[in-house]
Coordinates of all heavy atoms in Angstrom, one line a residue:
H780 N 89.3 87.8 100.1 CA 90.7 87.4 100.3 C 91.3 88.0 101.6 O 92.2 87.5 102.2 CB 91.5 87.7 99.1 CG 91.6 89.2 98.8 ND1 92.6 90.0 99.4 CD2 90.9 90.0 98.1 CE1 92.4 91.2 98.9 NE2 91.3 91.3 98.1
E781 N 90.8 89.2 102.0 CA 91.4 90.0 103.1 C 91.3 89.3 104.4 O 91.9 89.7 105.4 CB 90.9 91.4 103.1 CG 91.2 92.2 101.9 CD 90.6 93.6 101.9 OE1 89.3 93.6 101.7 OE2 91.3 94.6 102.0
L782 N 90.3 88.4 104.5 CA 90.2 87.7 105.8 C 90.7 86.2 105.8 O 90.6 85.5 106.8 CB 88.7 87.7 106.2 CG 88.0 89.0 106.4 CD1 86.6 88.8 106.8 CD2 88.8 89.8 107.6
L783 N 91.5 85.9 104.7 CA 91.9 84.5 104.6 C 92.9 84.2 105.7 O 93.0 83.1 106.3 CB 92.4 84.3 103.1 CG 91.4 83.9 102.0 CD1 92.2 83.8 100.7 CD2 90.8 82.7 102.4
L784 N 93.9 85.0 105.8 CA 95.1 84.7 106.8 C 94.5 84.5 108.2 O 94.9 83.4 108.8 CB 96.1 85.8 106.7 CG 97.1 85.7 105.6 CD1 98.0 86.9 105.5 CD2 98.0 84.5 105.7
A785 N 93.7 85.4 108.7 CA 93.2 85.2 110.0 C 92.3 84.0 110.2 O 92.3 83.3 111.1 CB 92.4 86.5 110.5
S786 N 91.6 83.7 109.1 CA 90.7 82.6 109.1 C 91.4 81.3 109.1 O 91.1 80.3 109.8 CB 89.7 82.7 107.9 OG 88.9 83.8 107.9
W787 N 92.5 81.2 108.2 CA 93.4 80.1 108.1 C 94.0 79.8 109.5 O 94.0 78.7 110.0 CB 94.4 80.3 107.1 CG 95.5 79.3 107.2 CD1 95.6 78.0 106.7 CD2 96.8 79.5 107.8 NE1 96.7 77.4 107.0 CE2 97.5 78.3 107.7 CE3 97.4 80.6 108.4 CZ2 98.8 78.1 108.2 CZ3 98.8 80.5 108.9 CH2 99.4 79.2 108.8
W788 N 94.5 80.8 110.2 CA 95.2 80.6 111.5 C 94.2 80.1 112.5 O 94.5 79.3 113.3 CB 95.7 81.9 111.9 CG 96.6 81.8 113.2 CD1 96.2 82.2 114.4 CD2 97.8 81.1 113.4 NE1 97.1 81.9 115.4 CE2 98.1 81.2 114.8 CE3 98.7 80.4 112.5 CZ2 99.3 80.6 115.2 CZ3 99.8 79.8 113.0 CH2 100.1 79.9 114.4
Y789 N 92.9 80.6 112.5 CA 91.9 80.2 113.4 C 91.6 78.7 113.1 O 91.5 77.8 114.1 CB 90.6 81.0 113.3 CG 89.5 80.4 114.1 CD1 89.4 80.7 115.5 CD2 88.5 79.5 113.6 CE1 88.4 80.1 116.3 CE2 87.6 78.9 114.3 CZ 87.5 79.3 115.7 OH 86.6 78.7 116.5
C790 N 91.4 78.3 111.9 CA 91.0 76.9 111.5 C 92.2 75.9 111.8 O 92.0 74.8 112.1 CB 90.6 76.9 110.1 SG 89.1 77.7 109.7
K791 N 93.5 76.4 111.7 CA 94.6 75.7 112.0 C 94.7 75.4 113.5 O 95.2 74.3 114.0 CB 95.9 76.4 111.6 CG 97.2 75.7 111.7 CD 98.3 76.4 111.2 CE 99.7 75.7 111.2 NZ 100.1 75.5 112.6
S792 N 94.2 76.4 114.3 CA 94.4 76.2 115.8 C 93.1 75.6 116.4 O 93.2 75.0 117.6 CB 94.5 77.6 116.4 OG 95.6 78.3 115.8
Y793 N 92.1 75.5 115.7 CA 90.8 75.0 116.3 C 90.2 74.0 115.2 O 90.6 74.0 114.1 CB 89.8 76.1 116.6 CG 90.3 77.1 117.6 CD1 91.0 78.2 117.2 CD2 90.1 76.8 119.0 CE1 91.5 79.1 118.2 CE2 90.5 77.7 119.9 CZ 91.2 78.9 119.5 OH 91.7 79.8 120.5
S794 N 89.2 73.3 115.6 CA 88.6 72.3 114.8 C 87.5 73.0 114.0 O 86.4 73.1 114.3 CB 87.9 71.1 115.6 OG 87.3 70.3 114.8
C795 N 87.9 73.5 112.8 CA 87.0 74.3 111.9 C 87.4 74.1 110.5 O 88.6 74.1 110.1 CB 87.1 75.8 112.3 SG 86.0 76.9 111.4
K796 N 86.4 74.0 109.6 CA 86.7 73.8 108.2 C 86.5 75.3 107.5 O 85.7 76.0 108.0 CB 85.8 72.9 107.5 CG 86.0 71.4 107.9 CD 85.1 70.5 107.2 CE 85.5 69.0 107.6 NZ 84.7 68.0 106.8
L797 N 87.3 75.5 106.5 CA 87.4 76.8 105.8 C 87.0 76.6 104.4 O 87.6 75.9 103.6 CB 88.8 77.4 106.0 CG 89.0 78.7 105.4 CD1 88.0 79.8 105.8 CD2 90.4 79.2 105.5
I798 N 86.0 77.5 104.0 CA 85.6 77.6 102.6 C 85.8 79.0 102.1 O 85.5 80.0 102.8 CB 84.1 77.2 102.4 CG1 83.9 75.8 102.7 CG2 83.6 77.5 100.9 CD1 82.3 75.4 102.7
Y799 N 86.4 79.1 100.9 CA 86.6 80.4 100.3 C 85.6 80.7 99.3 O 85.6 80.0 98.2 CB 88.1 80.5 99.8 CG 88.6 81.8 99.1 CD1 88.0 83.0 99.4 CD2 89.7 81.8 98.3 CE1 88.4 84.1 98.8 CE2 90.1 82.9 97.7 CZ 89.5 84.1 98.0 OH 90.0 85.3 97.4
D800 N 84.7 81.6 99.5 CA 83.8 82.0 98.4 C 84.4 83.1 97.6 O 84.5 84.2 97.8 CB 82.5 82.6 99.2 CG 81.4 83.1 98.2 OD1 81.3 82.3 97.1 OD2 80.8 84.1 98.4
V801 N 84.8 82.6 96.3 CA 85.5 83.5 95.4 C 84.4 84.2 94.6 O 83.8 83.7 93.6 CB 86.4 82.7 94.5 CG1 87.2 83.6 93.6 CG2 87.3 81.7 95.3
Q802 N 84.2 85.5 95.0 CA 83.2 86.3 94.4 C 83.8 87.0 93.2 O 83.0 87.5 92.3 CB 82.6 87.3 95.4 CG 81.9 86.6 96.5 CD 81.2 87.6 97.5 OE1 81.1 88.7 97.2 NE2 80.7 87.1 98.6
E803 N 85.1 87.2 93.1 CA 85.7 87.9 92.0 C 87.2 87.3 91.8 O 87.8 86.7 92.8 CB 85.9 89.4 92.4 CG 84.6 90.1 92.6 CD 84.9 91.6 92.9 OE1 85.7 92.2 92.3 OE2 84.2 92.1 93.9
N804 N 87.7 87.5 90.6 CA 89.1 87.2 90.5 C 89.9 88.4 90.8 O 90.1 89.3 90.0 CB 89.3 86.8 88.9 CG 90.7 86.4 88.7 OD1 91.6 86.7 89.5 ND2 90.9 85.7 87.6
Y805 N 90.1 88.5 92.1 CA 90.6 89.8 92.7 C 91.9 90.2 92.1 O 92.1 91.4 91.8 CB 90.9 89.6 94.2 CG 89.5 89.3 94.9 CD1 89.3 88.0 95.3 CD2 88.6 90.3 95.2 CE1 88.0 87.8 96.0 CE2 87.4 90.0 95.8 CZ 87.2 88.7 96.2 OH 86.0 88.4 96.9
S806 N 92.8 89.4 91.8 CA 94.2 89.7 91.3 C 94.0 90.2 89.9 O 94.5 91.3 89.5 CB 95.1 88.5 91.2 OG 96.3 88.8 90.7
L807 N 93.1 89.6 89.0 CA 92.9 90.1 87.7 C 92.1 91.4 87.7 O 92.4 92.3 86.9 CB 92.1 89.1 86.9 CG 91.6 89.5 85.5 CD1 92.8 89.7 84.6 CD2 90.8 88.4 84.9
N808 N 91.2 91.6 88.6 CA 90.5 92.9 88.7 C 91.5 94.0 89.0 O 91.4 95.1 88.4 CB 89.5 92.8 89.9 CG 88.3 92.0 89.5 OD1 88.2 91.4 88.5 ND2 87.2 92.0 90.4
L809 N 92.4 93.8 89.9 CA 93.4 94.9 90.2 C 94.2 95.2 89.0 O 94.5 96.4 88.9 CB 94.3 94.4 91.4 CG 93.6 94.3 92.8 CD1 94.4 93.5 93.8 CD2 93.4 95.8 93.4
T810 N 94.7 94.3 88.2 CA 95.6 94.6 87.2 C 94.8 95.2 86.0 O 95.4 96.0 85.2 CB 96.4 93.4 86.8 OG1 95.5 92.3 86.4 CG2 97.4 92.9 87.9
A811 N 93.6 94.6 85.7 CA 92.9 95.0 84.5 C 92.1 96.4 84.7 O 91.8 97.0 83.7 CB 91.9 93.9 84.1
Q812 N 91.8 96.7 85.9 CA 91.0 97.9 86.1 C 91.9 99.1 86.6 O 93.1 98.8 87.0 CB 89.9 97.7 87.1 CG 88.9 96.6 86.7 CD 87.9 96.3 87.6 OE1 87.6 97.1 88.6 NE2 87.1 95.2 87.4
D813 N 91.4 100.3 86.6 CA 92.2 101.5 86.8 C 91.9 102.2 88.2 O 92.0 103.3 88.3 CB 92.1 102.5 85.7 CG 92.5 102.0 84.3 OD1 93.6 101.3 84.4 OD2 92.0 102.3 83.3
T814 N 91.5 101.3 89.1 CA 91.3 101.9 90.5 C 92.5 102.4 91.2 O 92.5 103.5 91.8 CB 90.7 100.8 91.4 OG1 89.6 100.2 90.7 CG2 90.2 101.4 92.7
Y815 N 93.7 101.8 90.9 CA 95.0 102.3 91.6 C 96.0 102.6 90.4 O 95.8 102.2 89.3 CB 95.5 101.2 92.5 CG 94.5 100.8 93.6 CD1 93.8 99.6 93.5 CD2 94.3 101.6 94.7 CE1 92.9 99.2 94.5 CE2 93.4 101.2 95.7 CZ 92.7 100.0 95.6 OH 91.8 99.7 96.6
N816 N 97.1 103.2 90.8 CA 98.2 103.5 89.9 C 98.9 102.3 89.4 O 98.8 101.2 90.2 CB 99.1 104.5 90.5 CG 100.1 103.9 91.5 OD1 100.9 103.0 91.3 ND2 100.0 104.5 92.7
P817 N 99.5 102.2 88.3 CA 100.0 100.9 87.7 C 100.9 100.2 88.6 O 100.8 98.9 88.7 CB 100.7 101.4 86.5 CG 100.0 102.7 86.1 CD 99.6 103.3 87.4
V818 N 101.9 100.8 89.3 CA 102.8 100.1 90.2 C 102.1 99.6 91.3 O 102.3 98.3 91.8 CB 103.9 101.0 90.6 CG1 104.9 100.3 91.6 CG2 104.7 101.5 89.5
F819 N 101.3 100.3 92.0 CA 100.6 99.9 93.3 C 99.7 98.7 93.0 O 99.6 97.8 93.8 CB 99.9 101.1 93.9 CG 99.3 100.8 95.2 CD1 100.0 100.1 96.3 CD2 98.0 101.1 95.5 CE1 99.5 99.9 97.5 CE2 97.4 100.9 96.8 CZ 98.2 100.2 97.7
K820 N 98.9 98.8 91.8 CA 98.0 97.7 91.6 C 98.6 96.4 91.3 O 98.1 95.4 91.6 CB 97.0 98.2 90.5 CG 97.5 98.2 89.1 CD 96.5 98.7 88.1 CE 96.9 98.6 86.7 NZ 95.9 99.1 85.7

């Protein structure tokens, strides 16, 4: 997800198709796991 914005802008400016390979449910991982403190996650 961290490269989506730059990729979207490039594809919007040039003739390029964009596919998102979703390897994880990133939002759920952040809330369900204890990697960060509750507010930050």
